[in-house]
Amino acid sequence: MQDYSDIREEVAKLCAQFPGPYWQAKDKVREYPSEFVAALGEAGYLAALIPEEYGGAGLPLSAAAAILEEIQRQGCNGGAVHAQMYVMGTVLRHGSEEQKARYLPRVATGELRLQAFGVTEPTSGTDTLSLKTVAKREGDSYIVNGQKLWTSRAEHSDLMILLARTTPREEAASRTEGLSVFLVDMKEALAAGTLSIRPIDTMMNHATTEIFFDNMRIPAANLIGEEGKGFRYILSGMNAERLLIAAECIGDAKWFIEKASSYAKERVLFGRPIGQNQGVQFPIARAYAQMRAAELLVRDGIAKYEAGDNAGAEANMAKMLAAEASWAAGEACIQTHGGFGFAAEYDIERKFRETRLYQVAPISTNMILSYVAEHVLGMPRSY
C-alpha cells in the first residue's frame, strides 16, 4: 500500500500551525476547532475522497487514512473532521447524479459541510434496526419526527445524513427493510424550527449533540437511493468508517510512543535516564509492538477495501486492535511521565481522553467480537 509520504509531510506542516496550546485552549472551554477545520478545508484535505469531476482530489481510502493518521500523530484531533470523509460515501455510492452534482462540488470547496450522521437513538443505541425516528411520505415530501443521540458536529454541519423508518417494523418485508436514508439541509430545518440541537457535555471535546425532529419536512428528492433500503446503504459505509478511525488510533499510538520514549531518554533520576530501567522500557516497547500489529491489519483491511473485496472482518478487527493499541500506548505514556502526564500543558491527558472514545464508538468492542464470532468463526448468532 502506498505510504503517501508527501501528503503526510504536508499535513504535518499544517498541523505545526496548531500546537499544543491551541488544543489545550479549545479543550478547556469545549470549543470546536474552527480554524483548524478551515485550514484543512482550504488545503483540500476534506475533499480527498470526492471525485475530481465534483471538485475533489479523487484519492483512495488509503490516502484519507494517511491524512487522518498524520493529524493524530502530530498531536491534533481529527475527530473534528473525520466524519466528512466517511459520511459522504453514502452520497457517492448511493446518491443520484442530481444529488451528487448539487452538493458535492460545494462540499469540496468548503461552502457546505457534510459531517453529521444521524443514526443512533437513546432507546436503541447500536441496535439500529430498532430505531424509532419516523419519516412519513406526504406528497412530494417526507415528514420526520423523532430524535437522535450522539450526533457529533451537528452544530458545525450544513448537511446531515439521516436514517429513519419509512415502513413500520411489523410491516417490513424483513428485519433489515423499511429504513431509509435522507440528505437533510440542517440550516433550512433549523430556520423552520422543525429541528433543534442540544449539545452534550462529555469527557472529551467532541462536539456531540442530541437532535430533535418535530414535523421536519424533507423534499422527496433528498431520499438517497431506494426507500426502505437505507440500512444496507449505511452498512456499506461502515467498513470505511472503521478503517479510518483505526488509522486515527494508529496515529494516536505513535504520538504516545514517541512522547514516552523521548521523555524516558531525557528524564534523569537516581543518576540515570529512567528509560534505562526495564520497568519503564517494557510497557513502551509492548505498546509499540501492539501498534505495529494493528497497523498491519489496518493496511490489510484498506487494501481489501480498495480492491473491492469484503473487508468487514479486517475493518472491524483493525478498529478494535488499533483502539486497544492507542489506549495501551497512552497508559505507557502517562506512567512514564508520572505526575507530569496529568498536567494539561503536556497534552497527554487530553489525548488520553480522546483516544479512549474509540473502544466504544463508532462501534463497541463487544459488538466487534460478536461479529467476528459469527461471521468469521461461524458461531451461532448472539443477538
Side-chain angles (χ1 to χ4, degrees):
M1 188 177 80
Q2 190 174 343
D3 185 62
Y4 298 103
S5 57
D6 53 339
I7 291 179
R8 291 174 186 271
E9 184 178 336
E10 291 305 312
V11 171
K13 289 179 184 176
L14 186 152
C15 289
Q17 301 171 36
F18 300 90
Y22 171 83
W23 295 99
Q24 293 156 24
K26 295 294 183 184
D27 185 69
K28 191 170 185 178
V29 296
R30 295 296 192 264
E31 185 176 305
Y32 187 72
S34 299
E35 303 86 356
F36 176 67
V37 175
L40 286 173
E42 289 169 12
Y45 295 121
L46 300 187
L49 296 180
I50 296 178
E52 291 183 60
E53 59 263 38
Y54 300 113
L59 295 172
L61 190 71
S62 51
I67 291 167
L68 290 174
E69 180 193 317
E70 195 61 35
I71 288 172
Q72 300 301 114
R73 184 175 185 171
Q74 296 302 319
C76 299
N77 185 1
V81 297
H82 62 197
Q84 181 153 309
M85 290 194 175
Y86 56 74
V87 168
M88 71 177 62
T90 304
V91 180
L92 286 173
R93 285 186 299 273
H94 307 292
S96 67
E97 287 305 316
E98 190 279 331
Q99 288 169 341
K100 287 186 277 191
R102 181 179 178 186
Y103 292 110
L104 291 182
R106 289 190 288 164
V107 173
T109 61
E111 180 185 345
L112 293 176
R113 284 187 185 161
L114 169 58
Q115 51 185 17
F117 196 31
V119 177
T120 305
E121 297 185 0
T123 59
S124 57
T126 50
D127 183 7
T128 304
L129 296 175
S130 296
L131 63 80
K132 296 179 180 178
T133 295
V134 173
K136 185 178 180 181
R137 182 71 182 257
E138 288 188 6
D140 60 357
S141 300
Y142 286 87
I143 307 300
V144 180
N145 285 284
Q147 71 181 104
K148 295 293 179 181
L149 188 65
W150 309 124
T151 304
S152 300
R153 297 159 298 276
E155 295 178 291
H156 309 281
S157 186
D158 300 293
L159 304 170
M160 173 174 58
I161 298 294
L162 172 68
L163 183 67
R165 182 162 290 284
T166 45
T167 302
R169 192 169 185 177
E170 61 274 11
E171 297 176 17
S174 71
R175 65 189 297 271
T176 60
E177 299 288 313
L179 300 176
S180 300
V181 177
F182 301 90
L183 192 57
V184 179
D185 185 327
M186 297 181 68
K187 302 301 182 186
E188 186 177 283
L190 283 166
T194 56
L195 181 151
S196 56
I197 303 172
R198 185 179 70 84
I200 301 173
D201 192 13
T202 59
M203 99 176 182
M204 77 290 292
N205 184 22
H206 203 65
T208 198
T209 69
E210 186 172 17
I211 296 182
F212 300 88
F213 309 103
D214 183 13
N215 290 320
M216 182 179 73
R217 186 176 295 274
I218 306 175
N222 283 29
L223 171 70
I224 296 177
E226 293 182 53
E227 183 180 294
K229 308 295 184 184
F231 184 65
R232 67 184 66 177
Y233 298 160
I234 294 296
L235 282 181
S236 70
M238 286 184 173
N239 289 339
E241 175 189 43
R242 287 164 196 179
L243 288 165
L244 290 176
I245 294 293
E248 287 188 273
C249 290
I250 295 299
D252 276 341
K254 289 180 178 179
W255 185 90
F256 284 125
I257 291 165
E258 289 164 7
K259 194 97 168 174
S261 57
S262 294
Y263 187 78
K265 289 181 282 189
E266 297 165 0
R267 177 66 165 165
V268 175
L269 286 175
F270 303 108
R272 53 194 270 167
I274 61 172
Q276 193 172 339
N277 302 309
Q278 291 179 337
V280 173
Q281 290 179 352
F282 286 3
I284 302 172
R286 182 176 291 277
Y288 177 80
Q290 284 181 263
M291 179 276 293
R292 287 289 289 127
E295 183 179 35
L296 292 173
L297 190 51
V298 174
R299 292 183 178 183
D300 185 40
I302 290 174
K304 288 192 74 172
Y305 182 91
E306 291 183 344
D309 298 332
N310 182 4
E314 289 78 10
N316 275 283
M317 291 187 293
K319 185 266 176 187
M320 179 183 75
L321 295 177
E324 291 176 350
S326 65
W327 181 247
E331 284 275 5
C333 191
I334 280 189
Q335 199 68 20
T336 301
H337 283 76
F340 292 113
F342 297 93
E345 67 179 285
Y346 281 73
D347 273 327
I348 298 167
E349 60 86 29
R350 171 181 65 83
K351 295 282 283 182
F352 193 59
R353 285 183 281 113
E354 290 171 357
T355 207
R356 179 60 179 85
L357 172 65
Y358 298 120
Q359 290 185 62
V360 174
I363 189 72
S364 72
T365 296
N366 284 349
M367 294 287 283
I368 290 174
L369 293 173
S370 293
Y371 176 92
V372 172
E374 178 185 351
H375 296 284
V376 179
L377 301 178
M379 296 183 188
R381 186 184 182 91
S382 62
Y383 63 90

